[in-house]
Amino acid sequence: MQVSPLHPPNSQLFSDDVISGVVQQRSKRSRSAFVGLNSDMSVDAVPRPSQRPRLQQWHPQTREYGEAGEPSSNVPPGRWGSHQDTTAMISALKEKLQPPASTESTARDGQLQAMVHLIIADKLRLRELRRVRQIRYRKKKDDYANSLDEGNKQLRVEIEQLADRRRSVLAAVPAKKSGWSVAVEYFRLFQLGIPDTSASGVSSSCAQIAFLKATMAPDVLFNTDCGVKAVIGNWYYISQWFAKFDMELDALGTGSSGTLVAKTVTSITITEHTIRKVFPHLTSSEDPSGMSPLAQELLDKTLVMHGTTRFEWDSVRCRVGSIRSQSDMMTPLLRLLGTLEKVARVFSNALITPELHCK
């Protein structure tokens, strides 16, 4: 029989099945065991918390021991012992921390006040300087605007003078003997009526009269009047009575009977002079301005009228034999005044007809 330390003689009896079937037994713990106590001491023998000895605490103020958790009654009042609430403690702390007044703080306050006065004085000086500059700038701007106004007035006068000279030069050129050229030249010369050109020293009415004598028949029929003087007289009164007279040629064509038909747009402005000369019945002595309420509605108003002018050409004499013109003055007046009664009052004793003809 072979014996080996790694294989005991009865190793065949300790198989895995035998070992796995062994159940380990747990040791029973004594219920009456307490840590730090004897096994024969019962539960009732453990002291209660109120019967346990209390720890001693050292009080540095009294230099003696006392029970923990209970403040010693022999503690003397400390630095803040006399203060019972927080507000009193804070006020006392502020009083103790407030530094006493010294000469250095007084000198510093004086320097600060001096600096403040200097800053305020500098701001006042800058404000005054800015105000003076603004006054100079505004004066310079006003002077520049006034100079521009004077320049504009001078330019307007020069433009009027040059326009009058141009009309006089063009009027001296003989017109071609045709109805179309005569009609176009007629509206070009009488676009602004017969203005007062005494300031420019050039009389455009002479050029207009020369044109009419060269292109119109001596017995030319002008609306209800006859002759070249009737044409000149009508244009003269219309130009003098109304301000800003302007007549533009809108279209030119031939009519059914072979006459030339021109469509025009005429604009006039009613002034106080117009009311006194053309509508004298609208003046009133009771009103301080001398104008009736109806006249005040017309004052400084501009009327834009559409009209037609018909030219009949005399082919035998190669001149214009008849001119019939009319402008609708009723429509803009009705639009301005609102009622036909007011329009009828305007034309009741007026020196002009609703077709813009002089009476």
Side-chain angles (χ1 to χ4, degrees), residues 27 43 80 100 133 148 165 186 219 250 268 270 279 294 351:
S27 61
V43 178
W80 310 107
R133 288 178 179 175
L148 288 179
R165 291 179 182 178
Y186 175 83
D219 56 348
D250 189 28
I268 56 175
I270 300 176
F279 311 104
L294 184 58
L351 300 181

Side-chain angles (χ1 to χ4, degrees), residues 73-90:
S73 60
N74 298 327
V75 178
R79 188 175 183 180
W80 310 107
S82 61
H83 300 283
Q84 300 298 329
D85 54 352
T86 308
T87 306
M89 294 173 63
I90 293 175

Side-chain angles (χ1 to χ4, degrees), residues 176-248:
K176 296 180 180 180
K177 299 299 182 178
S178 66
W180 290 84
S181 60
V182 171
V184 172
E185 190 69 13
Y186 175 83
F187 287 109
R188 186 185 65 81
L189 289 175
F190 291 94
Q191 179 182 0
L192 301 178
I194 303 179
D196 186 9
T197 57
S198 58
S200 60
V202 179
S203 178
S204 61
S205 60
C206 296
Q208 293 168 341
I209 293 173
F211 167 77
L212 293 177
K213 289 182 178 181
T215 58
M216 305 291 168
D219 56 348
V220 60
L221 182 63
F222 184 77
N223 296 327
T224 58
D225 296 329
C226 183
V228 176
K229 291 184 179 180
V231 180
I232 292 294
N234 182 82
W235 282 111
Y236 176 78
Y237 288 118
I238 294 295
S239 304
Q240 297 300 318
W241 287 345
F242 296 95
K244 299 180 182 179
F245 177 85
D246 187 12
M247 181 178 61
E248 295 183 359

Side-chain angles (χ1 to χ4, degrees), residues 323-355:
I323 299 177
R324 290 174 295 173
S325 64
Q326 62 177 3
S327 296
D328 184 13
M329 197 174 179
M330 288 281 293
T331 301
L333 277 178
L334 182 60
R335 189 182 300 113
L336 176 63
L337 300 177
T339 60
L340 289 174
E341 290 79 7
K342 292 183 179 181
V343 176
R345 286 178 55 193
V346 170
F347 288 107
S348 60
N349 295 319
L351 300 181
I352 199 169
T353 63
E355 293 81 14

Side-chain angles (χ1 to χ4, degrees), residues 42-67:
S42 63
V43 178
D44 297 334
V46 179
R48 296 180 180 179
S50 60
Q51 298 176 358
R52 295 176 185 175
R54 305 188 67 174
L55 299 177
Q56 299 293 325
Q57 183 178 3
W58 172 259
H59 297 284
Q61 292 86 356
T62 58
R63 297 182 179 275
E64 61 183 7
Y65 286 96
E67 293 183 357

